């Protein structure tokens, strides 16, 4: 048996349920819940808040409920939590009015609040690790030269679906959807959003793949229905 197959139990002993021990996932859940609570406290617009954080409201329970049967890497847990906080801040203030973005705009002499661009960068960077982890663990693509390009393509597909979601919100809500769209008068905002997602996904694959592989090697095998 290859040495790396024995290493996971030595470095990350598993509980009887098959989930890795450690407080990190629980701490991250608490941080995300606190961020959501603060975000929901008198947001700029309640509908915009819901549209921005709906991904967290759906994704957080899924991650928690699947943790015992299909635990994720700590790298992915941390990135998902960071992305959730980015969404929570954008939902509270709207992406065009996040104070940190205003500070960056003024400091760098930009003509718009760049928080929206940062949000779409994260929309590529974080899903890339999620997609990569699912492909490595549930498909024959581990070690394949197709893993990286397919990961980036999947992130671009998600970004395009999100842009269509924004388009539908604009058609249905009209000017009421302006805060959600956060175009700030840029006619090329959709193209910029997808380009930022492409950059984020590409950086994720280039910079995080090696560390991600090490953590994937340390994971216990997912539980099957027979067990």
């Amino acid at each position: 048996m290859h040495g790396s197959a024995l290493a996971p139990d030595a470095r990350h002993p598993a509980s009887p349920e098959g989930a890795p021990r450690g407080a990190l996932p629980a701490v991250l859940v608490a941080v995300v819940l606190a961020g959501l609570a603060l975000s929901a406290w008198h947001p700029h617009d309640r509908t915009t808040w819901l549209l921005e954080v709906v991904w967290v409201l759906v994704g957080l329970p899924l991650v928690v409920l699947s943790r015992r049967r299909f635990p994720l890497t700590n790298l992915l847990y941390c990135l998902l939590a960071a992305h959730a906080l980015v969404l929570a801040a954008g939902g509270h203030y709207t992406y065009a009015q996040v104070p940190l973005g205003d500070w960056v705009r003024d400091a760098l002499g930009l003509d718009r609040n760049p928080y929206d661009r940062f949000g779409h960068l994260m929309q590529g960077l974080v899903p890339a690790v999620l997609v990569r982890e699912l492909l490595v663990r549930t498909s024959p693509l581990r070690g394949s030269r197709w893993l990286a390009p397919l990961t980036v393509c999947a992130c671009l597909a998600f970004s395009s679906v999100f842009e269509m979601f924004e388009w539908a919100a604009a058609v249905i809500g009209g000017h009421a959807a302006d805060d959600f769209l956060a175009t700030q008068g840029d006619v090329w905002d959709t193209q910029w959003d997808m380009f930022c997602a492409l950059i984020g996904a590409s950086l994720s694959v280039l910079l995080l793949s090696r560390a991600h592989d090490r953590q994937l090697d340390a994971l216990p095998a997912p539980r099957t229905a027979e067990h």
Side-chain angles (χ1 to χ4, degrees), residues 48 52 94-97 112-113 115-117 120 166 177-186 189 193:
T48 299
E52 297 292 2
T94 79
Y95 276 79
Q97 301 181 60
R112 58 171 284 156
N113 185 314
Y115 191 82
D116 180 55
R117 303 284 192 242
H120 283 276
E166 288 190 339
D178 287 349
D179 286 337
F180 175 59
L181 297 177
T183 59
Q184 301 182 67
D186 186 354
D189 187 70
D193 289 348

Side-chain angles (χ1 to χ4, degrees), residues 16-19 67-71 137 220-227:
E17 293 78 13
R67 180 173 176 257
R68 291 184 183 278
R69 186 172 298 280
F70 198 86
R137 298 173 67 183
R223 295 174 63 195
T224 62
E226 292 77 18
H227 293 81

Side-chain angles (χ1 to χ4, degrees), residues 43-56:
H44 176 80
D45 177 76
R46 182 64 62 181
T47 300
T48 299
W49 176 84
L50 181 59
L51 289 171
E52 297 292 2
V53 304
V54 65
W55 311 102
V56 184

Side-chain angles (χ1 to χ4, degrees), residues 52-217:
E52 297 292 2
V53 304
V54 65
W55 311 102
V56 184
L57 299 177
V58 173
L60 182 60
L62 289 177
V63 171
V64 171
L65 292 174
S66 65
R67 180 173 176 257
R68 291 184 183 278
R69 186 172 298 280
F70 198 86
L72 305 176
T73 59
N74 283 339
L75 172 64
L76 182 52
Y77 280 133
C78 290
L79 288 174
L80 289 173
H83 197 188
L85 295 178
V86 169
L87 293 172
H92 180 80
Y93 294 105
T94 79
Y95 276 79
Q97 301 181 60
V98 174
L100 178 61
D102 286 340
W103 180 84
V104 173
R105 179 198 62 203
D106 296 339
L108 300 180
L110 305 177
D111 58 359
R112 58 171 284 156
N113 185 314
Y115 191 82
D116 180 55
R117 303 284 192 242
F118 174 70
H120 283 276
L121 189 77
M122 291 290 286
Q123 191 187 78
L125 189 145
V126 177
V129 178
L130 174 60
V131 169
R132 189 176 188 275
E133 185 149 328
L134 293 176
L135 289 177
V136 165
R137 298 173 67 183
T138 64
S139 79
L141 287 172
R142 181 164 195 160
S144 168
R145 67 181 64 184
W146 288 102
L147 179 60
L150 286 177
T151 295
V152 173
C153 287
C155 292
L156 279 177
F158 173 75
S159 179
S160 67
V161 169
F162 185 82
E163 293 303 323
M164 286 188 280
F165 177 58
E166 288 190 339
W167 169 51
V171 171
I172 295 170
H175 290 298
D178 287 349
D179 286 337
F180 175 59
L181 297 177
T183 59
Q184 301 182 67
D186 186 354
V187 297
W188 301 107
D189 187 70
T190 297
Q191 289 80 3
W192 271 110
D193 289 348
M194 295 184 66
F195 181 60
C196 287
L198 171 62
I199 293 174
S202 301
L203 287 176
S204 185
V205 168
L206 289 172
L207 301 179
L208 300 178
S209 291
R210 185 169 297 181
H212 191 208
D213 284 338
R214 288 197 297 267
Q215 293 198 15
L216 286 168
D217 287 338

Side-chain angles (χ1 to χ4, degrees), residues 16-35:
E17 293 78 13
R21 292 174 181 158
L24 180 62
V27 170
L28 293 175
V29 168
V31 170
V32 170
L33 289 175

